[in-house]
Amino acid sequence: MTADAHALLHDRAAAVLHGNDAGGFTRASPHLYPHQWSWDSAFIAIGWAHLDVGRAMTELEGLFSAQWATGMVPHIVFRAGPDKPYFPGPEWWDCGTAPAAASLPFKTTGICQPPVHALSLLRIWQLTPQARQPEIRERIKALYPRLVHWHRYLATQRDPEKTGLVTTYHPWEGTDNSPRWDRALERIKVADPGPYTRLDVTEIGDASQRPTDWDYDRFLWLVELLRKYRYDDARIYREYPFLIKDVFFSAILVAANAALLSLADVVGADDADREQLADWLDRGRAGLARRFQADWGLCVDYDVRTGEDIRLRTFAGFAPLFARTADPGQQAIQLRLLDSEDFCGNPRFRWRLQPSTSPAEPAFESHNYWRGPVWPIINWLLWQSLRQLGYADRAEDVRRDSLGQIAIGDFAEYFEPFTGEPLGSPQQSWTAAVTLDFSAP
Ligand code: 2M8
C-alpha cells in the first residue's frame, strides 16, 4: 500500500470514529451496537489516541465510571437514547437488583469482556505527545486504581480456585457464537427465555452471518439465571450451569497485568500494587502453561462444571502468543501452527490472517461471526504480540495484510477468510480504531 493510500485510509478511519462519537463515548457501530461496549471502548481509545489523546482518555474514563462495586467493568454501558434501540436492552438485564451495581451513573449489563483496557492505556501513554504528558499522566494516575480493581475482580471472583485462569459466564463475554461454547450450551436442556424479538438479524439482513435462534434462546436464558442470582458471583459459582475457563480471556489478563506493571513508574504505583500485579501475572502464566497441549500446539479451555477439555482449533488456542509467553518451545510450536493450513497458511485464504475458527474444524462456517471469519481486532492483538516477542517480519505481514483487507469495504466488523468479503456491521468503530494504529507511520 502506498503512503497516499495509507493516508487516505487513515482519514476514512478517523471519519468513522468521529461519525460514531456520541459525545463522551463512541458507539461500537452506528446502528447494530449503538451503546458503549467494554472491550470495543479499549480498542476505540487506541484509535482516538492517534487523533486526540484527551478524547482517548475520556473514552476509558466514561467506561470505568460504570464499574461495579465488585470491580467488574460491565460489557455494555447503555448510554444511547431510546431512539437507538438495542436488544437485549437494560430492562432485560435488570441490573438494578444487583447490590454491586447500585448508584451507577448508567444502566449496564451484568457480565464483562476481555480486559484489553490496560493495553489501551499503555498505548495511549506511548502516543502522548510530550506537551500533553503532565495532563495525561494525571488522568492515567486517576484511572490506574480502577484498573487494578478490575483485574482484582478477575483474579478473585472469576478465579476462586486460584488457577490463574479466568472463568467466563456467558458467550457474550467476548466471542459470542464461537464453537468453544457449543457443548456447554447443548447441556442446557430447558432454555425458555419467554418471547423476544431480535433486532440484529433485521439490521444485518443476512441471518447466516449471526448466531442462530437456538443460540439466542440459550444466551437469553443464561441472562435470566444471572438476573435471578442478582449477579452475585459466589452464587453464580455455586449454581449456574455455564462456567468455562477461557484461555483467551486469561491470556489477555496476563498481557494486561504486564501492561499495568509497565505503567507503574508512570503513575508512581506503590509496592503493594506492584507485588499484587506481579503475583497475578505469574499465576496467569502458570495457569496457561498447564493448559498448553504440546501435541496439539494449542492452549485448551475447560468446562468447570464437567471438567471436560474443550479441544477445538480456534484463535483462542494461541493464548501463549496473546499472553506473550517467554517459553521458546511454545513460541516455536505456535508460530508453526499459525502458518499451517489450519490457520493463516491456508492456501485458499485471501489474506494470511488469523481466522476466528480454523477451516479444519467441522464447526467452521466462513460467513458466520466468530465461527470462521477474520476479525481485525484479533489480528491487531496478534500483531502486537508478535512485535513484542521479536518476530518483526511476521508482525509486519499481519499489519500489511490487515490493512489490505480492511481497505475493501466500509470498516467491516469481520471478513470472510477465502474471499475477503466484508461482513457484519459496516463502520464498526474498533475496526476503524485498529486501522489508525496499523496505519500510523
Ligand atoms: C458482539 O456482541 C454483541 C453482544 O455483546 C452482539 O452480538 O450483539 C461481539 O463481537 C462482542 O465481542 C462485541 O464487543 C460486540 C460489539 O462490537 O458485538
Side-chain angles (χ1 to χ4, degrees):
M1 198 178 275
T2 62
D4 281 356
H6 262 175
L8 186 68
L9 196 57
H10 171 283
D11 291 353
R12 284 176 50 216
V16 168
L17 285 196
H18 284 295
N20 291 342
D21 186 357
F25 81 98
T26 311
R27 302 187 199 292
S29 69
H31 306 294
L32 186 63
Y33 309 120
H35 299 282
Q36 183 170 31
W37 261 258
S38 171
W39 70 327
D40 296 61
S41 275
F43 288 109
I44 289 165
I46 294 170
W48 278 124
H50 287 277
L51 309 173
D52 172 0
V53 280
R55 180 64 188 79
M57 287 304 298
T58 303
E59 195 69 30
L60 292 177
E61 288 158 354
L63 177 72
F64 276 81
S65 74
Q67 183 173 29
W68 286 28
T70 51
M72 188 187 76
V73 177
H75 112 283
I76 304 176
V77 184
F78 292 109
R79 294 181 73 173
D83 59 317
K84 297 271 186 190
Y86 175 76
F87 178 80
E91 57 301 321
W92 195 280
W93 292 88
D94 197 18
C95 289
T97 60
S103 67
L104 294 178
F106 306 106
K107 294 196 165 136
T108 74
T109 61
I111 55 171
C112 59
Q113 290 185 317
V116 274
H117 314 88
L119 301 182
S120 174
L121 211 56
L122 180 58
R123 192 79 188 104
I124 293 170
W125 179 247
Q126 289 164 347
L127 291 167
T128 301
Q130 211 165 4
R132 296 200 66 182
Q133 282 185 1
E135 172 213 338
I136 299 301
R137 182 195 296 271
E138 283 312 305
R139 292 173 74 175
I140 292 180
K141 210 169 162 175
L143 206 54
Y144 196 85
R146 285 186 174 264
L147 272 97
V148 175
H149 191 29
W150 166 218
H151 290 193
R152 177 170 295 111
Y153 167 76
L154 295 172
T156 56
Q157 305 293 320
R158 293 301 188 102
D159 188 23
E161 315 91 336
K162 292 195 167 54
T163 59
L165 301 169
V166 179
T167 304
T168 183
Y169 292 169
H170 201 289
W172 277 332
E173 293 201 317
T175 57
D176 303 38
N177 70 344
S178 169
R180 297 156 75 202
W181 322 129
D182 287 358
R183 274 178 75 86
L185 291 176
E186 275 159 17
R187 278 195 291 107
I188 301 172
K189 293 293 173 228
V190 184
D192 181 15
Y196 62 90
T197 307
R198 291 177 64 173
L199 301 178
D200 60 322
V201 270
T202 326
E203 180 60 43
I204 292 299
D206 174 3
S208 75
Q209 294 179 31
R210 294 284 305 175
T212 62
D213 288 345
W214 183 92
D215 292 318
Y216 256 68
D217 280 352
R218 279 146 193 84
F219 295 172
L220 293 167
W221 176 244
L222 290 175
V223 174
E224 198 151 312
L225 291 178
L226 292 170
R227 206 169 61 205
K228 188 170 102 189
Y229 306 149
R230 301 171 73 202
Y231 302 96
D232 174 67
D233 291 287
R235 183 152 180 217
I236 293 166
Y237 235 85
R238 279 196 310 273
E239 300 178 29
Y240 183 70
F242 189 96
L243 298 177
I244 293 180
K245 288 290 180 188
D246 177 338
V247 292
F248 170 68
F249 205 126
S250 307
I252 297 299
L253 182 58
V254 167
N257 277 322
L260 280 192
L261 275 173
S262 306
L263 284 167
D265 287 341
V266 175
V267 301
D270 61 27
D271 287 347
D273 275 353
R274 288 174 201 249
E275 277 165 29
Q276 182 63 88
L277 289 165
D279 187 43
W280 292 333
L281 187 57
D282 289 346
R283 206 193 292 165
R285 284 179 176 148
L288 286 175
R290 282 192 294 274
R291 299 309 301 159
F292 185 69
Q293 300 192 349
D295 61 323
W296 182 244
L298 294 169
C299 249
V300 175
D301 305 306
Y302 70 92
D303 188 319
V304 175
R305 282 284 171 256
T306 62
E308 269 174 32
D309 283 356
I310 303 174
R311 255 173 82 102
L312 285 171
R313 284 157 291 187
T314 73
F315 80 97
F318 290 90
L321 287 187
F322 292 120
R324 294 131 195 219
T325 178
D327 182 322
Q330 287 187 14
Q331 286 179 19
I333 292 173
Q334 292 234 298
L335 282 163
R336 238 188 346 263
L337 186 63
L338 185 71
D339 283 329
S340 74
E341 267 195 42
D342 286 356
F343 287 95
C344 310
N346 190 294
R348 291 171 54 221
F349 275 8
R350 172 70 184 83
W351 303 100
R352 204 155 59 100
L353 292 170
Q354 194 178 40
S356 49
T357 298
S358 163
E361 271 307 321
F364 172 83
E365 290 175 53
S366 68
H367 272 72
N368 194 342
Y369 216 37
W370 290 94
R371 299 178 84 87
V374 176
W375 288 71
I377 49 134
I378 298 298
N379 281 277
W380 182 89
L381 288 167
L382 180 65
W383 172 58
Q384 288 287 305
S385 297
L386 292 171
R387 262 175 32 151
Q388 195 169 323
L389 291 172
Y391 300 103
D393 291 348
R394 188 64 188 93
E396 179 53 21
D397 292 347
V398 173
R399 188 186 79 89
R400 194 199 48 235
D401 285 358
S402 292
L403 286 171
Q405 180 184 65
I406 293 167
I408 297 154
D410 191 9
F411 298 95
E413 190 180 3
Y414 43 95
F415 293 84
E416 211 273 0
F418 300 119
T419 61
E421 181 194 353
L423 300 170
S425 172
Q427 293 167 23
Q428 181 81 9
S429 294
W430 66 9
T431 305
V434 297
T435 304
L436 288 168
D437 207 39
F438 278 138
S439 63

